[in-house]
Amino acid sequence: MRTIITVIFTLLCCGSVVAQELEDDYRLYKIDAVEFQDRIIETDTTIFYRVAHARRDLYDEVTAYRFSHVDFARRGHYYTDRKATLNGLEVRHANLSVMRRLGLSERGYAGLAHGRYHVGGAVGMDEFTTMDGVPISGVNVGAFLSGKGYLGGMRATIDAMMRRGWSATFHVAARGGDDLYVKGVYNNSVDAGLRIAKTFESGAAFSLVALATVGDKGLRSGSTDEAFTLVGDNLYNPAWGYQAGKERTSRRRMDAVPFVAATYLMPIGNTTQMTLSLGGDYGHRKYSTLGWYDAMTPRPDNYRYMPSYYSSVDVAASVANEWRAANSDYTQLRWDDMYAQNGMSSSGAVYAMDDRVERIAQGQFVADFRTTLVDDVSLRYGLRMEYSSSRNYKQMVDLMGATHLNNIDYYLMDDDSFSHSLSNNLRDADLTVREGDRFSYDYDLRRRSVLAYVALEYTSSRWQVEADVQAGRAAMLRYGYFEKQLYPGSASYGRSNVMQFNPYTVRAAVGYYVSPRHHLRVGALWSEQLPEVRNMFLNPQYNNRVVDNPSLERIMATEFEYKYSSEKADVILTAYYNSVRNQRQTMRMYDDLSRSYSDVDISRLGMVSYGVELASEVRFSSSLRASFSAAAGRYVYAENPLVTIYADTDNSVISNHSTSYMGGCYIGGAPQVSASAEITYLTYRGWAASVGVQLAALRYVDPSVLRRTERVAIQGSSSEEIFQRFISQRRLPDAVTMDTSLSRWFNIGRSRLSLTLSVRNLLDSRDIVYGGYESSRIRNYRSGAQRIYLPQDDVLTYAYPRTYYAVVSWKF
């Protein structure tokens, strides 16, 4: 069995885990930082209209941390599709919680509404800036207990106003410990941030922001219905086991990618303001997983080890009994056995722990100018430049008792035609791998781009008209550091062909205030945007071959928004349509029909999302208020993509342009219907309490493109019933949860002590499916003289039961 199965599984599962952690961190921030303020709506004046033009993403504010019990892709797009910027520089989502703790000004923009730097896209953005004031001097320290993902932690934030216009903010937080609900899950991490700013008498301003999140996390893996049912635990995690009587996990993620940005703002004359921002990331991300080399997979819930695999009724019953008895020799990884097999091997390790490392180096520069032409018209224009490098390699972490591993292609050992081309790197005569060595693959994906933009804004008392255009030039390439014997010379080593693209975006929007309380806005966008670099290569791990006809992704979006504002309520209703076409995806996998490892090129992928969104805040009194959200839409794959499968050994075509029946399949992780409501009671004597309920309905697992191809679904199906199993998509149960929180704070002189207890999933629902995906692998067995093909079981992850968050903070 092969290491590649683990790689694919890891990549597919990581997104869900990260999403849950991000939501939890954001909720912790919101619990501790929220301040309740009365809002006063001014009368119908010109001043009011100009203030009211400021936008907000009310839906995101209302729902940002309410749906973490399910995989929640707003409008059919995951949160990673929503860009985040700091003074125009794009930042990783892992840095958002640190920027919030530093007190940076934040504004969310929904859909087509963009911020001051006009970053293109149709799924909104989060914009942070250091130019809107500084926090008041003070110190805020706190401690928190969680139990979900980690046990607890401590944090401290210091704000200081200094002489000559300087100010500084420093934040540090540490969390650690094991998850109390899922074995094998832990989080030991440190977040740190520094913000330094200075204002000059000339009106100029300077800021420096440094962010770092360094963590080591144990992750959980999804599994199948069969495994969850047998063990009787929906939080079952197959990724850990016992070694010498101690728990050890096989899935770890380590992250250390610091970010630094410097910004200088300066007025030029009386009509122009210039902002220059320079920054970037440099660091690494690592995913540790088990590798097995010419050996059976150690994963305990592999379909070959489950009762359903065995044709003998007695054997199946015996295995099922061991699972029900929670015998760890069956249900968990057997570390001691793997060490023993390594000890008996005369040719090196057959099991080992390795890191899939990504070294990130990214630099950005933004020069932004805003010129007021007349009182109501302004022109914004500028330049964005970016260079990014993503170096990827596999590094040996633990040989598990063996002295070495042979750096060869184990997939070819039994191949009669290619077993003479086993070397992964012809430029290294030493084929032995020891701990700390790089092996298997080593390559760099590079991208550079320059983008110019211009935007015209007209703002009057009632009208707001925007039109902007962005256009640029981008180049992508792969640089190989290993020369693979299968693809000698420039086919794998050195620089690939350089792909050139010309991305652009055209956007226009018109807003009108019918009255101080009623506002209408309509917008449209057309864009051709850059694809992911890795999807432009047939197999980026060790092949310089570019896919046929690389091209840009096409995006078309329209949006209509109605906003109501009064002293008692804010309501925003949005109708939207978003189409993404011409997407591309490449992957490496085992092809069960040809029984060979292959490279897969999926072209003509497209998705369509349309629907309505409603968000509201209602202020019944100074002490009682509520917030509501509702969304209904259709998020589907728009057409049938084409799938071409190449032999992994020589790029010969196994299957050419096989149609995949994806059209009409629902986008996984995107509830077609969702709603939430929360009511909050606040007394000015230091008490606050809230209760909320959430619904996520019409949810589906993420569909597999490969198992829906004509080649598999038609040729591999021996009956109409099996054909329907290949092309049908599983609907997940609707999910309803309730959350509550209680806060008490005490004013002690000039300081404040705050205590908060938050309970999530108050009703302790234990059968909520967080999310899932279809396996691309296919089961096959013989029935008489006929070979029967069936799709493998879907992989699911369940939400946590009732969880608690306790926060104690002291601000002075």
Side-chain angles (χ1 to χ4, degrees):
M1 303 303 292
R2 309 301 188 187
T3 309
I4 190 62
I5 302 173
T6 302
V7 179
I8 295 173
F9 182 86
T10 301
L11 294 176
L12 288 171
C13 290
C14 284
S16 296
V17 177
V18 171
Q20 293 186 65
E21 291 171 352
L22 181 70
E23 294 282 6
D24 292 339
D25 289 344
Y26 186 39
R27 180 175 176 85
L28 188 63
Y29 164 80
K30 294 284 283 187
I31 288 173
D32 189 51
V34 68
E35 294 182 1
F36 302 95
Q37 298 177 349
D38 289 328
R39 298 183 59 211
I40 300 175
I41 303 299
E42 303 289 345
T43 57
D44 187 356
T45 64
T46 300
I47 294 178
F48 165 79
Y49 282 118
R50 291 191 181 273
V51 173
H53 280 309
R55 303 191 199 109
R56 61 189 299 212
D57 187 354
L58 183 58
Y59 185 88
D60 181 66
E61 294 174 16
V62 168
T63 64
Y65 55 94
R66 291 188 183 173
F67 288 99
S68 61
H69 60 289
V70 296
D71 205 0
F72 190 78
R74 180 184 176 187
R75 300 189 185 183
H77 295 272
Y78 283 97
Y79 72 95
T80 50
D81 295 331
R82 181 179 169 114
K83 293 182 179 180
T85 65
L86 171 60
N87 295 333
L89 304 174
E90 291 189 30
V91 294
R92 299 168 58 236
H93 286 80
N95 292 321
L96 299 192
S97 62
V98 182
M99 290 194 294
R100 292 182 176 119
R101 290 292 182 184
L102 289 177
L104 305 186
S105 298
E106 177 185 4
R107 183 174 292 276
Y109 298 90
L112 303 183
H114 296 302
R116 59 185 291 173
Y117 296 101
H118 299 278
V119 176
V123 294
M125 62 177 293
D126 294 296
E127 185 178 75
F128 293 81
T129 179
T130 58
M131 301 302 174
D132 295 336
V134 295
I136 299 174
S137 293
V139 178
N140 193 327
V141 296
F144 45 91
L145 297 175
S146 171
K148 178 184 175 182
Y150 56 92
L151 183 60
M154 301 183 68
R155 58 165 180 76
T157 305
I158 302 173
D159 298 304
M161 295 293 296
M162 298 176 290
R163 299 174 58 187
R164 298 182 180 179
W166 287 93
S167 65
T169 301
F170 175 72
H171 168 74
V172 62
R175 57 180 62 83
D178 295 336
D179 189 300
L180 298 182
Y181 305 90
V182 182
K183 288 188 175 182
V185 175
Y186 66 87
N187 182 353
N188 298 318
S189 60
V190 175
D191 300 340
L194 174 66
R195 172 187 185 270
I196 299 175
K198 176 177 173 57
T199 57
F200 300 90
E201 294 181 359
S202 64
F206 169 80
S207 69
L208 176 69
V209 174
L211 311 168
T213 300
V214 181
D216 177 7
K217 302 176 183 180
L219 309 177
R220 67 165 168 159
S221 294
S223 194
T224 62
D225 281 329
E226 183 178 13
F228 289 126
T229 301
L230 286 170
V231 298
D233 181 9
N234 288 340
L235 297 182
Y236 165 66
N237 178 18
W240 69 276
Y242 290 106
Q243 180 183 346
K246 296 182 179 180
E247 296 176 9
R248 180 179 179 181
T249 184
S250 65
R251 293 193 62 221
R252 298 172 58 199
R253 186 176 79 244
M254 288 151 285
D255 195 316
V257 189
F259 173 85
V260 178
T263 300
Y264 181 70
L265 181 149
M266 182 181 72
I268 302 176
N270 297 324
T271 61
T272 300
Q273 178 177 277
M274 178 185 70
T275 304
L276 303 177
S277 296
L278 176 67
D281 305 273
Y282 183 81
H284 67 260
R285 289 184 296 207
K286 298 180 180 180
Y287 295 92
S288 295
T289 56
L290 262 174
W292 51 100
Y293 305 90
D294 198 27
M296 294 292 290
T297 173
R299 185 177 173 89
D301 61 340
N302 182 271
Y303 74 100
R304 292 176 179 268
Y305 303 152
M306 302 303 294
S308 60
Y309 177 75
Y310 298 97
S311 57
S312 169
V313 175
D314 292 338
V315 173
S318 176
V319 174
N321 288 335
E322 299 294 343
W323 273 81
R324 294 189 185 99
N327 184 342
S328 61
D329 286 341
Y330 285 78
T331 63
Q332 306 302 148
L333 293 171
R334 299 165 64 175
W335 291 98
D336 294 334
D337 286 357
M338 288 185 277
Y339 271 77
Q341 290 189 53
N342 276 355
M344 293 185 293
S345 173
S346 60
S347 57
V350 293
Y351 293 101
M353 282 286 292
D354 53 65
D355 282 343
R356 276 73 170 173
V357 182
E358 180 186 11
R359 285 204 168 272
I360 298 170
Q362 182 181 36
Q364 302 175 71
F365 172 73
V366 175
D368 178 78
F369 301 85
R370 183 185 182 93
T371 299
T372 302
L373 302 179
V374 294
D375 288 344
D376 296 333
V377 180
S378 63
L379 188 68
R380 183 175 291 277
Y381 47 97
L383 190 71
R384 297 176 55 86
M385 301 176 67
E386 179 183 352
Y387 175 82
S388 64
S389 167
S390 171
R391 185 163 180 177
N392 299 264
Y393 54 88
K394 189 185 291 187
Q395 187 171 31
M396 180 57 64
V397 174
D398 185 359
L399 286 166
M400 297 171 58
T403 59
H404 70 280
L405 173 75
N406 292 321
N407 188 17
I408 60 175
D409 192 334
Y410 286 86
Y411 310 133
L412 302 177
M413 292 182 64
D414 300 324
D415 193 306
D416 294 334
S417 301
F418 298 96
S419 57
H420 62 282
S421 301
L422 298 178
S423 176
N424 285 318
N425 186 14
L426 292 174
R427 295 175 180 262
D428 186 358
D430 185 5
L431 293 179
T432 59
V433 180
R434 292 177 173 80
E435 292 177 3
D437 291 348
R438 299 182 187 185
F439 70 107
S440 186
Y441 61 83
D442 187 357
Y443 65 94
D444 192 7
L445 297 177
R446 301 173 184 174
R447 186 183 75 181
R448 59 182 183 269
S449 63
V450 58
L451 177 73
Y453 60 88
V454 58
L456 185 68
E457 298 179 5
Y458 167 74
T459 304
S460 67
S461 60
R462 291 178 179 267
W463 288 94
Q464 186 174 34
V465 181
E466 302 171 358
D468 60 84
V469 177
Q470 305 178 65
R473 183 74 167 172
M476 299 178 180
L477 63 90
R478 175 191 183 273
Y479 192 97
Y481 292 93
F482 279 5
E483 182 183 355
K484 192 170 179 65
Q485 193 168 4
L486 274 177
Y487 298 95
S490 60
S492 61
Y493 183 80
R495 185 188 301 268
S496 70
N497 291 333
V498 179
M499 292 168 285
Q500 304 280 352
F501 298 97
N502 297 303
Y504 66 89
T505 299
V506 179
R507 183 183 69 97
V510 178
Y512 178 69
Y513 270 92
V514 181
S515 73
R517 297 190 177 191
H518 303 278
H519 175 250
L520 303 177
R521 179 181 174 84
V522 62
L525 175 143
W526 177 267
S527 179
E528 292 197 354
Q529 296 191 1
L530 294 173
E532 290 287 336
V533 182
R534 65 182 62 254
N535 289 326
M536 294 294 98
F537 294 91
L538 196 58
N539 186 334
Q541 283 192 356
Y542 56 72
N543 198 335
N544 272 339
R545 177 172 172 177
V546 176
V547 298
D548 297 334
N549 302 315
S551 57
L552 296 166
E553 299 177 359
R554 293 191 299 270
I555 299 174
M556 193 274 284
T558 59
E559 187 176 272
F560 171 80
E561 179 186 273
Y562 164 74
K563 180 169 67 175
Y564 170 83
S565 297
S566 73
E567 67 278 4
K568 291 295 185 181
D570 290 332
V571 180
I572 296 181
L573 174 66
T574 307
Y576 57 89
Y577 175 89
N578 188 6
S579 170
V580 182
R581 307 286 180 138
N582 206 38
Q583 290 185 308
R584 197 115 186 200
Q585 183 179 359
T586 59
M587 65 178 67
R588 186 190 189 203
M589 65 165 291
Y590 184 79
D591 179 56
D592 291 280
L593 294 188
S594 65
R595 300 182 188 179
S596 63
Y597 285 89
S598 61
D599 301 324
V600 182
D601 178 21
I602 305 171
S603 60
R604 210 176 67 181
L605 271 169
M607 294 179 286
V608 169
S609 304
Y610 56 89
V612 293
E613 248 176 23
L614 173 69
S616 67
E617 288 182 341
V618 181
R619 296 169 286 278
F620 300 107
S621 67
S622 60
S623 299
L624 186 65
R625 59 198 62 199
S627 60
F628 305 92
S629 75
R634 182 173 172 83
Y635 319 119
V636 297
Y637 287 87
E639 56 186 326
N640 293 331
L642 300 178
V643 179
T644 300
I645 301 177
Y646 299 85
D648 193 52
T649 51
D650 59 2
N651 287 162
S652 60
V653 176
I654 296 174
S655 174
N656 189 32
H657 285 177
S658 178
T659 299
S660 177
Y661 299 111
M662 287 286 290
C665 285
Y666 296 97
I667 297 172
Q672 310 291 298
V673 175
S674 63
S676 71
E678 184 177 73
I679 187 166
T680 300
Y681 180 72
L682 169 73
T683 72
Y684 291 96
R685 296 181 179 178
W687 286 95
S690 67
V691 177
V693 62
Q694 298 79 225
L695 164 70
L698 297 179
R699 304 185 299 134
Y700 295 84
V701 297
D702 203 22
S704 165
V705 177
L706 297 178
R707 84 179 202 186
R708 286 179 169 75
T709 58
E710 294 172 316
R711 176 171 175 264
V712 173
I714 295 180
Q715 298 177 26
S717 298
S718 58
S719 67
E720 177 63 24
E721 179 184 0
I722 294 178
F723 173 75
Q724 291 299 324
R725 288 184 63 178
F726 275 114
I727 67 170
S728 63
Q729 185 180 13
R730 176 176 178 174
R731 177 180 168 180
L732 299 176
D734 298 343
V736 178
T737 58
M738 181 178 292
D739 301 335
T740 186
S741 66
L742 178 66
S743 298
R744 178 75 166 102
W745 62 89
F746 306 88
N747 292 318
I748 306 173
R750 296 184 177 181
S751 64
R752 171 177 290 187
L753 177 67
S754 302
L755 311 173
T756 299
L757 175 65
S758 175
V759 183
R760 310 188 72 181
N761 193 359
L762 181 65
L763 302 181
D764 198 28
S765 301
R766 295 175 177 263
D767 57 354
I768 298 175
V769 179
Y770 176 82
Y773 65 90
E774 296 173 350
S775 174
S776 295
R777 293 295 308 277
I778 301 167
R779 291 184 63 170
N780 69 86
Y781 61 92
R782 286 197 174 276
S783 178
Q786 187 178 20
R787 182 168 294 276
I788 305 298
Y789 294 94
L790 292 171
Q792 289 198 18
D793 293 342
D794 299 334
V795 178
L796 306 177
T797 303
Y798 280 83
Y800 277 71
R802 184 187 299 121
T803 57
Y804 304 87
Y805 293 83
V807 182
V808 180
S809 64
W810 182 29
K811 187 173 183 179
F812 58 93

